[in-house]
Amino acid sequence: MPSPDPWRALDAQPNVATLIAGLEARGGTPAQRRLRRRFLRFVPVRRGDRVLEVGCGSGVVVRDLAAMVGRRGSVVGVDSSRAVLAAARRLCRPAAGARIALRAGDGHRLPFAADRFDATLAITVILHVADPITVVREMARVTRPGGRVGLQDQDFGMVAVTHPDPELTDRILDGVVRHIYEEPYSGRRLPGLLRQAGLRDVRLLTDVFQDATLEPWTKTFLERRAEYAVGFGLVDGATAQRWLDGFTATVAAGAFVFTMNYYGAVGVKAR
Ligand SMILES: C[S@@+](CC[C@H](N)C(=O)[O-])C[C@H]1O[C@@H](n2cnc3c(N)ncnc32)[C@H](O)[C@@H]1O
């Protein structure tokens, strides 16, 4: 049976354009931009580095990386979806800084020789792949000795949101992630995966996305959760709508808070 996770087979989704637009909306949200940059500094990504991003999507991180590594560096993005790569090519064309190359490929079998990159990253990707340890081992293989492998994921067990009906909120949020993801708590497991792949000096950065105004990306995230909850038979359409209306009322009362933990983990390849 195909996975219900749309990010695992993006090209097969009827709403692929909407999902790609969602990546750009998330990437442009100021709190998300800060969160991403804190992680890239934590890795750290340095000027002149050759960097690979696995599961690069529409190129949100690739564009940041190109500016960070500068003209002496290079950035390669790999993704298994041809649709998202077409969008990334268009969106990355005006990017300043390093040379950018975008390639089709599967993280379970990266199309690169060993020891090629100074830093290899996967950002909100590991929770979507079928076999996380195989992907992380591949990332380690293509990284040079002394280079860094960095992973960052949300953790859907660490989502907090204000709503007048907390029981319904749990039923929808927890129920949906259990249906979609084999590994909804991916974030907290990233340091263990790096060690299992043989990386050394593993460090963890726990960070948090926060939104107190119901930003467009958060609104879309909650609307998509409501849609899935109906699709999975967790609630009926009227209950899902009542749940979404509850957020509108919470915002109007000045009481809206949404937070989600992100875990970033980095390990070094032995020399
Ligand atoms: C949620 S998006 C993250 C995109 C980007 N890293 C960002 O933060 O904006 C996940 C991406 O991983 C890609 N992906 C999923 N499974 C993959 C695999 N096995 N190999 C390569 N890419 C994969 C998807 O096509 C999608 O573009």
Side-chain angles (χ1 to χ4, degrees):
M1 203 174 65
S3 163
D5 179 354
W7 296 108
R8 193 172 291 181
L10 192 49
D11 290 349
Q13 305 307 314
N15 59 342
V16 59
T18 310
L19 290 166
I20 293 172
L23 284 180
E24 288 296 307
R26 179 176 73 171
T29 301
Q32 283 280 347
R33 199 179 299 141
R34 288 193 291 274
L35 190 104
R36 197 163 70 238
R37 292 188 180 161
R38 277 196 293 271
F39 175 65
L40 297 179
R41 283 196 297 270
F42 177 74
V43 171
V45 173
R46 303 189 179 106
R47 286 199 94 64
D49 272 351
R50 295 158 300 169
V51 185
L52 170 67
E53 193 206 352
V54 177
C56 62
S58 58
V60 166
V61 184
V62 163
R63 280 168 264 151
D64 278 357
L65 289 168
M68 286 176 88
V69 302
R71 301 182 74 83
R72 284 188 302 114
S74 63
V75 180
V76 180
V78 161
D79 203 286
S80 51
S81 156
R82 291 190 180 269
V84 88
L85 282 173
R89 288 200 176 95
R90 185 169 41 77
L91 291 160
C92 290
R93 210 168 291 137
R99 202 163 15 91
I100 293 175
L102 296 163
R103 283 189 66 164
D106 183 344
H108 298 88
R109 245 186 355 266
L110 288 170
F112 304 107
D115 302 345
R116 204 181 132 180
F117 297 97
D118 299 303
T120 305
L121 310 176
I123 295 181
T124 62
V125 170
I126 296 300
L127 81 161
H128 300 299
V129 301
D131 185 358
I133 187 60
T134 298
V135 173
V136 179
R137 286 201 172 110
E138 270 295 272
M139 292 174 70
R141 180 183 66 77
V142 301
T143 303
R144 69 162 169 83
R148 289 133 280 149
V149 176
L151 314 172
Q152 188 186 41
D153 263 351
Q154 326 69 327
D155 187 303
F156 290 125
M158 302 300 288
V159 175
V161 64
T162 47
H163 192 281
D165 188 340
E167 185 275 328
L168 176 60
T169 301
D170 287 349
R171 179 147 44 106
I172 292 177
L173 292 183
D174 295 346
V176 167
V177 294
R178 274 177 225 287
H179 271 79
I180 298 186
Y181 300 103
E182 280 153 32
E183 182 42 287
Y185 312 128
S186 174
R188 69 191 78 171
R189 301 211 169 135
L190 298 179
L193 272 179
L194 289 174
R195 291 193 185 97
Q196 202 186 333
L199 293 149
R200 306 262 177 89
D201 302 328
V202 173
R203 293 173 295 127
L204 173 68
L205 174 70
T206 305
D207 210 338
V208 64
F209 169 74
Q210 78 170 52
D211 175 7
T213 59
L214 192 57
E215 304 232 21
W217 175 72
T218 313
K219 188 163 181 287
T220 308
F221 174 89
L222 294 168
E223 285 169 353
R224 215 178 291 147
R225 287 296 193 248
E227 256 173 58
Y228 280 125
V230 175
F232 296 141
L234 298 169
V235 294
D236 60 25
T239 307
Q241 190 54 53
R242 175 167 65 76
W243 184 64
L244 290 173
D245 292 344
F247 289 115
T248 315
T250 309
V251 174
F256 182 78
V257 170
F258 175 93
T259 66
M260 176 155 62
N261 279 16
Y262 277 67
Y263 295 89
V266 180
V268 176
K269 181 165 169 177
R271 287 181 194 274

